[in-house]
Amino acid sequence: NAGVTQTPKFRVLKTGQSMTLLCAQDMNHEYMYWYRQDPGMGLRLIHYSVGEGTTAKGEVPDGYNVSRLKKQNFLLGLESAAPSQTSVYFCASSYPGQGVFEAFFGQGTRLTVV
Amino acid sequence: AQKVTQAQTEISVVEKEDVTLDCVYETRDTTYYLFWYKQPPSGELVFLIRRNSFDEQNEISGRYSWNFQKSTSSFNFTITASQVVDSAVYFCALSEASGYSTLTFGKGTMLLVSP
């Protein structure tokens, strides 16, 4: 039972390069999220998805795009990386129901943009 | 807009001391959920507790206890007889029932427990 798996775990990019972070969950969760964690800032929501084919902006969406073509996968793209996007990225998933349930987080991706 | 404030940036204690981590929240919703997550040095996020706005009962789980007070918009977390393994960053988070389970996190409190 893998839970939420993020690929890659570490990456160094040069300014202007592009990349895609992959998140996969095997819990059949409807909801998926991308957060970024910066020192002293806690975690902030970038984008989220409430189902296959749907996405929505979170608190800090600029510079990122996302896609949810399959229920189990949620991709985060950086089209032209900037040093300000150096961060630890966490993917999470949860299931809808009566109320709000805890999110299950991946291990994180440490991205450095130089 | 919702907001979570963890005023304590870092707390240092000696093993076996009790320690309380403060969390104050703001929301306009009447139905919401509060969470605590632990982030050990290895970096993963570990879920500790979920509490909905209609349940003000305090909860105890082993050495951990949580005090939820709607009157002061606080959801504080106490570790009794702290241990070195409790050293971690602890996050308080809020989710409004209308928000598709998205979380608003506080900035976290780093707890250092020394032997």
Side-chain angles (χ1 to χ4, degrees), chain B residues 12-19 63 79-87 111-115:
Chain B
S12 293
V13 299
V14 177
E15 216 172 11
K16 297 184 184 174
E17 283 185 23
D18 298 348
V19 58
R63 297 184 296 105
I79 301 174
T80 302
S82 60
Q83 299 176 1
V84 172
V85 293
D86 295 327
S87 296
L111 174 64
L112 300 171
V113 182
S114 55

Side-chain angles (χ1 to χ4, degrees), chain A residues 33 35 37 40 99-100 102-103, chain B residues 33 37 39 50 100-101 103:
Chain A
Y33 316 87
Y35 292 88
Q37 182 180 14
V100 173
E102 67 270 22
Chain B
Y33 293 76
Y37 281 86
Q39 187 177 44
R50 173 184 73 128
Y100 298 109
S101 303
L103 293 165

Side-chain angles (χ1 to χ4, degrees), chain B residues 6 8 11 18-24 35-39 46-49 58-69 74-80 86-92 109 111:
Chain B
Q6 294 180 256
Q8 304 150 309
I11 301 175
D18 298 348
V19 58
T20 295
L21 283 60
D22 297 333
C23 173
V24 174
F35 299 81
W36 277 94
Y37 281 86
K38 173 183 179 180
Q39 187 177 44
V46 178
F47 165 75
L48 295 178
I49 189 171
N58 290 336
E59 180 151 340
I60 298 175
S61 176
R63 297 184 296 105
Y64 295 171
S65 62
W66 290 268
N67 182 283
F68 176 32
Q69 292 196 334
S74 65
F75 186 42
N76 296 336
F77 173 31
T78 297
I79 301 174
T80 302
D86 295 327
S87 296
V89 179
Y90 291 86
F91 291 100
C92 180
T109 297
L111 174 64

Side-chain angles (χ1 to χ4, degrees), chain A residues 31 33 35 37 40-45 48 50 90 94-96 98-107, chain B residues 33 35 37 39 42-45 47 50 89 91 95-108:
Chain A
Y31 296 169
Y33 316 87
Y35 292 88
Q37 182 180 14
M41 295 295 295
L43 280 80
R44 293 179 292 169
L45 182 66
Y48 64 100
V50 299
F90 284 96
S94 71
Y95 53 89
Q98 281 205 315
V100 173
F101 295 91
E102 67 270 22
F104 294 79
F105 284 84
Q107 294 288 89
Chain B
Y33 293 76
F35 299 81
Y37 281 86
Q39 187 177 44
S42 50
E44 74 271 23
L45 284 153
F47 165 75
R50 173 184 73 128
V89 179
F91 291 100
S95 184
E96 294 172 342
S98 56
Y100 298 109
S101 303
T102 59
L103 293 165
T104 297
F105 284 84
K107 294 183 178 181

